[in-house]
Amino acid sequence: MQTELHIQPTHSLDRPPVLCIVGPTGAGKTHLAMTLAEHAKSIGHTVELISMDSALVYRGLDIGSAKPTKAEQAAVQHHLIDILEPTESYSAARFANDAKRLCEEIRHRGHIPVVVGGTMLYWRAWAYGLSSLPPADPIIRARLDGQGKVIGWPAMHSELAKVDPITAARLQPNDSQRVQRALEVYEITGKAMSELLAESPSEDGREGSAIPEWINLISLEPSDRSRLHQNLERRFDEMLVGGLLEEVELLRKNPGLHGDLPAIRSVGYRQVWEYLSGEVDHAEMRYKALAATRQLGKRQLTWLRAIAGRKTFDPFNPDELKAAIEYCKQSLSK
């Protein structure tokens, strides 16, 4: 059986750990990273940012992905942004390889790599590897997609619960991408995804896993969930005013794009795509997009809280945000 490439990161004791800034969507990761980069410049260092975000890799997905602005990208070198067409796919294993390579290249230039983002499957692949899971099978995946469209993803979730109740219990019934992947893994291997991950617990990166010594993990975790939700609601409305509908309408003109592609499944894009297809009205589109965004943030926090040894700061607390900035600044001099 083929498996995804297992990546063994290298670490040299004469170099500081790679700083990685994570947190749920809307927590202020980009702001912290840009603040750190500006400070580094003021003391004669150069920071280069490596995006750990599954939506930012796609060209044309700008507004709905909260992609760093052109000005921000001009001020600080960003990597793994706009590297693929939305018709293409990107994997966690590929990210792990890319991030590892970029860290080495950035350090070779005498600069400082900082990884920033909230795609936690990418984090797991980069930090621990993914040797236990098989690569995607396009034939099986297409068939599962077809089944999902016919009977609905809650019904597919029920099928998953029969063969892998542990994985099913942590997935939302409508989380088509993850339900599909778990069913695909079971069909390819004959084993539940939870069983495969349990066979290599050091690679799972979920249940109390320690952070590898070559990573310094900074986690922005808002304590006020209602305030985070309000911020996310305001941000999505600003995206709508800022041209999100027009952005997706332009994407829809590409004959190679459809609603089952990973790019279009991204939170926000999927719901707007459904609206422009006439499947839902504007109010339902907005409701579903906000619900999906909140669910994403909840999943991200669940991942983060299971990682032992992370440095945690509340970005909504001014003192803690200041402490996070100072901590990151100090890491530059180590």
Side-chain angles (χ1 to χ4, degrees):
M1 180 187 71
Q2 280 189 314
T3 56
E4 294 186 21
L5 178 64
H6 180 61
I7 298 143
Q8 286 290 351
T10 57
H11 175 68
S12 175
L13 294 178
D14 62 351
R15 298 187 301 183
V18 176
L19 186 65
C20 180
I21 300 172
V22 296
T25 182
K29 299 180 292 293
T30 298
H31 171 71
L32 176 57
M34 293 299 294
T35 300
L36 180 61
E38 291 172 6
H39 169 75
K41 186 176 181 180
S42 71
I43 59 174
H45 295 304
T46 300
V47 161
E48 296 187 35
L49 303 179
I50 300 172
S51 168
M52 191 171 68
D53 188 295
S54 60
L56 299 191
V57 298
Y58 295 112
R59 290 186 280 272
L61 275 67
D62 301 331
I63 298 171
S65 67
K67 188 173 290 180
T69 65
K70 297 299 182 184
E72 288 172 330
Q73 294 187 52
V76 179
Q77 178 69 52
H78 287 67
H79 299 276
L80 302 186
I81 291 179
D82 291 338
I83 61 171
L84 296 177
E85 293 299 325
T87 51
E88 300 177 272
S89 296
Y90 195 67
S91 69
R94 182 174 170 186
F95 169 80
N97 277 320
D98 287 346
K100 179 184 175 184
R101 170 182 54 79
L102 285 165
C103 284
E104 294 300 319
E105 292 175 356
I106 292 167
R107 281 177 156 164
H108 184 71
R109 289 192 286 271
H111 297 170
I112 301 170
V114 177
V115 177
V116 186
T119 300
M120 299 311 296
L121 185 59
Y122 286 10
W123 152 262
R124 189 183 77 186
W126 179 52
Y128 307 100
L130 284 175
S131 65
S132 57
L133 299 182
D137 183 311
I139 296 176
I140 293 177
R141 182 161 290 192
R143 178 168 50 76
L144 290 172
D145 269 338
Q147 281 184 260
K149 290 177 181 177
V150 172
I151 67 174
W153 286 103
M156 296 291 280
H157 183 268
S158 296
E159 292 300 310
L160 175 63
K162 296 176 184 177
V163 298
D164 188 355
I166 295 175
T167 298
R170 66 178 177 83
L171 298 181
Q172 296 292 326
N174 283 311
D175 192 347
S176 59
Q177 191 168 1
R178 290 175 175 81
V179 170
Q180 176 205 62
R181 176 58 175 156
L183 286 168
E184 177 189 43
V185 167
Y186 179 77
E187 287 204 26
I188 293 171
T189 66
K191 290 185 176 183
M193 179 184 284
S194 57
E195 182 181 353
L196 290 171
L197 292 175
E199 291 173 353
S200 51
S202 64
E203 298 169 9
D204 188 12
R206 288 181 60 85
E207 302 300 331
S209 299
I211 301 167
E213 64 174 7
W214 52 276
I215 298 177
N216 185 3
L217 189 66
I218 309 303
S219 184
L220 299 180
E221 301 178 20
S223 60
D224 188 340
R225 191 71 62 86
S226 63
R227 179 178 169 184
L228 176 62
H229 291 172
Q230 291 171 5
N231 288 354
L232 293 174
E233 181 174 354
R234 181 171 59 252
R235 185 177 72 170
F236 185 70
D237 287 339
E238 289 172 351
M239 289 176 177
L240 292 175
V241 173
L244 178 57
L245 296 182
E246 292 77 8
E247 182 174 84
V248 179
E249 192 64 77
L250 183 61
L251 291 170
R252 286 171 55 81
K253 293 180 180 179
N254 183 338
L257 291 180
H258 53 81
D260 292 325
L261 288 169
I264 307 305
R265 285 179 171 182
S266 300
V267 170
Y269 286 96
R270 179 173 191 166
Q271 292 75 28
V272 173
W273 188 279
E274 291 175 348
Y275 166 65
L276 294 175
S277 299
E279 299 175 43
V280 297
D281 60 24
H282 191 277
E284 186 176 1
M285 175 273 291
R286 180 178 179 275
Y287 173 82
K288 291 177 70 175
L290 291 174
T293 304
R294 289 192 294 268
Q295 290 169 2
L296 171 61
K298 183 179 179 180
R299 289 196 302 271
Q300 289 168 318
L301 284 169
T302 299
W303 272 93
L304 291 168
R305 288 168 179 163
I307 301 174
R310 71 196 188 284
K311 307 295 188 301
T312 305
F313 301 93
D314 182 355
F316 294 165
N317 181 318
D319 291 335
E320 288 204 26
L321 180 58
K322 182 178 179 181
I325 294 171
E326 290 304 314
Y327 180 88
C328 291
K329 287 179 180 179
Q330 291 172 13
S331 71
L332 297 180
S333 60
K334 293 181 180 179

